[in-house]
Amino acid sequence: MSAAQVLSRARHAVREGVWLFKGVMGENAYQVYLDHHGRTHSGDAPMNEREFWRDRTDRQDANPEGRCC
Amino acid sequence: MSKKRSGSSRHDDVLTQDPELPAVAVDPEQIEAEDRRWTPAKIAVWVGIALIGGFAWTMLAIVRGETVNAIWFVFAAVCPYLIAYRFYSKFIGRPLLRPDDRRATPAEYRADGKDYAATDRRVLFGHHFAAIAGAGPLVGPVLAAQMGYLPGTVWIIIGVIFAGAVQDYLVMFFSMRRGGRSLGQMAREELGVIGGTAALIATLTIMIIIVAILALVVVNALGESPWGVFSVSMTIPIALFMGVYLRYLRPGRVTEVSLIGFVLLMLAIVGGGWIAETTWGAELFTLDRVTLAWGIIVYGFIAAVLPVWLLLAPRDYLSTFMKIGTIIMLAVAIVITRPEISVPAVTPYATSGAGPVVAGTLFPFLFVTIACGALSGFHALIASGTTPKMIEKERQTRFIGYGGMLMESFVAIMALVAALSIDRGIYFAMNSSAAATGGTIEGAVAFVNGLGLTGVNLTQEALSTMATNVGEESIVSRTGGAPTLAVGIAQIMQGVIGGAGMMSFWYHFAIMFEALFILTAVDAGTRVARFMLQDSLGNVIPRFRDTSWRTGAWICTAIMVAGWGAILIMGVTDPLGGINTLFPLFGIANQLLAAIALAVCMAICAKRGRFRVLWIPALPLAFAAVVTITASFQKIFSPVPAIGYWAQHTAFRDALAAGEESFGTARSVEAMEAVVRNTFIQGTLSIVFVVLSIIVITTAVLATVKAYRNGGGADTEDAAVPSRIFAPAGLTATPAENELEAQWAAVEPGKRPARTGH
């Protein structure tokens, strides 16, 4: 394997790790929503980022999630 | 259901798939063929895993040298986990659950891009793990270490394989097949009104007791510790700042704000050390336990009524961040330092039941002291909550449900190793109640050396040196497990980073790590319980159903906080010690919830007509039922005051009636009255728990018998919907899955139903 290949693999692995970490932290929630919206509601405009995160915490207010002991 | 497996089911007619798209599921015969294809390399790997595991167990259980190296615990756990995951969890899937990837999951057929959103399995594994792992698996094993290293290790590993992971997997699967229904709803559906109502009341009461005892652990860890009080209370302004940042400054930058929060958290820990050294800081932040308990009660109420974005959500990010980071760090540190453990395999306390940490013999009390990590009923609430609404493909439940619980079990093993690695004399000095040690170094030394433990010779110097090293005034009678674990973690971590000079930092880092989980669990628990209460009250007064009604929300929150707050205050002021009297109640409550969850699962399996493999849920159910009912009965009927709540109650009441002014560890009439009151409440709770769970288990057994007679029962699953997406089932893709993924990648983007991922 050449140095360039090793480097590109390493970069890929790092990107993978960052993606996984952000996913676990829940950072990609807006993107998920946008993707879904793009597929299903072609007519109306999606919420903007600020509105989405507000809506998200408001929904958490109404549907509390348990955290384990 | 006469058809044999090979993937066909009674929904075959519905599950026809779009001919335009590649297959949405790997052909079941191909899966089977891959499973059965035993190449020499594959055989060698599994034989190797079995041999390493077997060797580790030989070292732990048979060789039992003077000292045992911690690395054997790691192998003794990881090898059985791998074997159980590969063989037993697959076995559960095949004849019992029969996941079918041709069926769409709720995340697909109900997709709304928000609550129902198909999530990459590895990401969801992380989410689910972060939701189930808390302080429980960190505390229980520490307390159980008094019986020696072997009983706890055996139970954590065997328990998770045959009970805990099975419960999580089954509940998650059944909830997923029902659109993400909660355990309470499933109980009502499967067990009828009586069983369902009993399950609901049991869940509510259990949540109160669990939150109370978690809060007690925090209070005990922070009492008389200015450093701890400062740094943990700083988490509140840090979380508020993060909340405002996410709401107004940069919405959605979760990782960024978590990193900022983490840096601030580290500053709070370091700053706590400086502040605790100043006279004003020590004066301001040295709080006694009763004040702290009231602080947590007030905090718990405020946190539960504040909007989620302000406090709960940001602290949850912080807690997830710390959880994942610290657990990985600890695993690496244990492998690097490989501490030697000099605790005996089994101590006399296992049979005498006279252990100073928690009273009671190995059977049944080991199995209730270590709840989380082996079998935790609380997980059933999580596994029937958010996770099933986000699963992409049915076959992924094995990885997320079973695998996630194996991971938590490994956390419990690490906590056990950390607790075992500290000096035994110090362990007992920290974990014996103040009623026994008097709370002083002299008292602790006299008490611990008087226990007659072989090889234990505690000196006052050892205690005071350790206290100085970890930056505390004293470490005597720091019960609750958290401080002991923190000392263990500090000892292991300083071996990797920083040396003895960093020990105090690591100690407070560990305390912070546990306090974060617990505080999150306290207000999330209060909120969940409040909604459950509102829902139940709504049956009588319909207005309570409206969760946006502020007055109703405040009343229900106040009731819940009063419930756990009363038990917390009782634990803090208990003349008999607190943790040692209350912790069994925590374990019993958690295991009873597990018994309820397993009972519901058994009824569902019976209604699906899976009688030949009914033992998969029935075996852990029988064990959990026997353990918890025996433990409850001992707590109710035992004539030994240290074990039986009512025996203690009667002894103190008689002493009061005889006009005595002090009795046992209670040195005043008020203290004696407190014991009478506390044991009454504890005894009553024991009765309530055991009665409710007997009702639930009985209704489940009746439902099962009825289903057996009828050859099955009503199908409560959502209607089958054909899936239009594909994703691999496990952590890594198999060759067949890779092939399918390539076919899907070749589909024109416009025609491909999107799934998340990258």
Side-chain angles (χ1 to χ4, degrees), chain A residues 16 19 21-25 27 36 39 49-50 53-55 57 59-62 64-69, chain B residues 111 114-115 123 127 131-132 135-136 247-248 252-255 258 308 316-317 379 382 386 527 531 754 758:
Chain A
E16 196 92 327
W19 164 81
F21 184 77
K22 285 192 169 177
V24 172
M25 295 299 296
E27 175 142 340
H36 173 81
R39 279 197 309 278
E49 196 168 5
R50 192 167 287 252
W53 288 101
R54 267 184 195 219
D55 172 69
T57 44
R59 271 181 293 119
Q60 284 174 355
D61 255 326
E65 230 179 276
R67 273 286 177 261
C68 206
C69 36
Chain B
K114 298 167 182 173
D115 298 321
V123 170
H127 273 294
I132 61 172
R247 182 111 171 155
Y248 298 107
R253 300 291 180 278
V254 173
T255 310
S258 302
V308 166
D316 203 29
Y317 290 133
H379 291 191
I382 314 283
T386 342
R527 284 185 97 90
F531 275 72
H758 44 191

